[in-house]
Short mmCIF file of all heavy atoms in Angstrom, two decimals:
data_model
loop_
_atom_site.label_atom_id
_atom_site.label_comp_id
_atom_site.label_asym_id
_atom_site.label_seq_id
_atom_site.Cartn_x
_atom_site.Cartn_y
_atom_site.Cartn_z
N GLU C 126 104.05 115.72 113.77
CA GLU C 126 105.44 115.66 114.27
C GLU C 126 105.59 114.72 115.47
O GLU C 126 106.59 114.03 115.61
CB GLU C 126 105.88 117.06 114.72
CG GLU C 126 106.48 117.85 113.60
CD GLU C 126 107.26 119.04 114.12
OE1 GLU C 126 107.72 119.04 115.27
OE2 GLU C 126 107.37 119.98 113.34
N ARG C 154 104.29 105.37 116.47
CA ARG C 154 103.18 105.94 115.70
C ARG C 154 103.17 107.45 115.92
O ARG C 154 103.75 107.95 116.90
CB ARG C 154 101.82 105.32 116.06
CG ARG C 154 101.26 105.61 117.42
CD ARG C 154 101.98 104.93 118.57
NE ARG C 154 101.82 103.49 118.64
CZ ARG C 154 102.76 102.64 119.05
NH1 ARG C 154 103.94 103.10 119.50
NH2 ARG C 154 102.57 101.35 119.09
N ALA C 174 100.16 116.08 97.01
CA ALA C 174 99.78 115.19 95.90
C ALA C 174 99.59 115.98 94.61
O ALA C 174 99.99 115.54 93.52
CB ALA C 174 98.51 114.42 96.25
N ILE C 185 91.34 120.00 89.45
CA ILE C 185 90.66 118.92 90.18
C ILE C 185 89.14 119.07 90.06
O ILE C 185 88.58 120.14 90.31
CB ILE C 185 91.08 118.94 91.67
CG1 ILE C 185 92.59 118.71 91.82
CG2 ILE C 185 90.31 117.88 92.47
CD1 ILE C 185 93.10 117.36 91.32
N LEU C 219 83.67 109.34 102.43
CA LEU C 219 83.28 107.94 102.26
C LEU C 219 83.77 107.19 103.49
O LEU C 219 84.92 107.36 103.90
CB LEU C 219 83.95 107.41 100.99
CG LEU C 219 83.58 106.02 100.51
CD1 LEU C 219 83.81 105.91 99.00
CD2 LEU C 219 84.36 104.94 101.23
N SER C 238 87.74 106.72 84.28
CA SER C 238 87.70 105.79 83.16
C SER C 238 86.49 106.05 82.26
O SER C 238 86.55 105.87 81.05
CB SER C 238 87.66 104.34 83.68
OG SER C 238 88.85 104.04 84.36
N SER C 254 93.89 108.85 117.19
CA SER C 254 94.26 109.08 118.60
C SER C 254 93.12 109.77 119.34
O SER C 254 93.03 109.67 120.56
CB SER C 254 95.53 109.93 118.68
OG SER C 254 95.30 111.21 118.14
N THR C 284 98.44 100.18 80.31
CA THR C 284 98.31 99.00 79.44
C THR C 284 97.15 98.10 79.86
O THR C 284 96.88 97.10 79.21
CB THR C 284 99.61 98.17 79.46
OG1 THR C 284 99.93 97.87 80.83
CG2 THR C 284 100.76 98.91 78.81
N GLN C 364 98.14 98.48 106.38
CA GLN C 364 99.17 98.22 107.39
C GLN C 364 98.49 98.11 108.76
O GLN C 364 98.38 99.10 109.49
CB GLN C 364 100.19 99.35 107.39
CG GLN C 364 100.74 99.69 106.01
CD GLN C 364 101.80 98.72 105.53
OE1 GLN C 364 102.72 98.41 106.26
NE2 GLN C 364 101.68 98.25 104.29
N ALA C 365 97.99 96.91 109.08
CA ALA C 365 97.34 96.71 110.38
C ALA C 365 98.17 95.80 111.27
O ALA C 365 98.15 95.96 112.49
CB ALA C 365 95.95 96.12 110.19
N ASP C 371 102.10 88.98 106.36
CA ASP C 371 102.96 87.82 106.06
C ASP C 371 102.13 86.60 105.67
O ASP C 371 102.46 85.89 104.71
CB ASP C 371 103.84 87.47 107.28
CG ASP C 371 104.90 88.52 107.52
OD1 ASP C 371 105.12 89.36 106.63
OD2 ASP C 371 105.48 88.53 108.63
N ILE C 399 97.38 103.00 103.21
CA ILE C 399 97.78 102.64 101.84
C ILE C 399 98.35 103.85 101.09
O ILE C 399 99.43 103.75 100.48
CB ILE C 399 96.62 101.93 101.09
CG1 ILE C 399 96.43 100.54 101.70
CG2 ILE C 399 96.91 101.85 99.60
CD1 ILE C 399 95.26 99.75 101.13
N VAL C 419 99.18 96.70 93.22
CA VAL C 419 98.03 95.96 93.75
C VAL C 419 97.93 96.30 95.23
O VAL C 419 98.93 96.27 95.95
CB VAL C 419 98.19 94.44 93.54
CG1 VAL C 419 97.08 93.67 94.25
CG2 VAL C 419 98.19 94.13 92.05
N ALA C 425 86.69 97.93 109.50
CA ALA C 425 85.35 98.00 110.10
C ALA C 425 84.28 97.88 109.03
O ALA C 425 84.43 98.32 107.89
CB ALA C 425 85.19 99.30 110.88
N THR C 438 102.37 108.36 86.73
CA THR C 438 102.97 109.67 86.95
C THR C 438 103.56 110.26 85.66
O THR C 438 103.99 109.53 84.78
CB THR C 438 104.08 109.58 88.01
OG1 THR C 438 104.57 110.88 88.24
CG2 THR C 438 105.22 108.70 87.55
#
Side-chain angles (χ1 to χ4, degrees):
E126 272 196 24
R154 68 289 291 145
I185 299 297
L219 186 155
S238 295
S254 64
T284 54
Q364 310 282 312
D371 290 346
I399 290 176
V419 173
T438 184

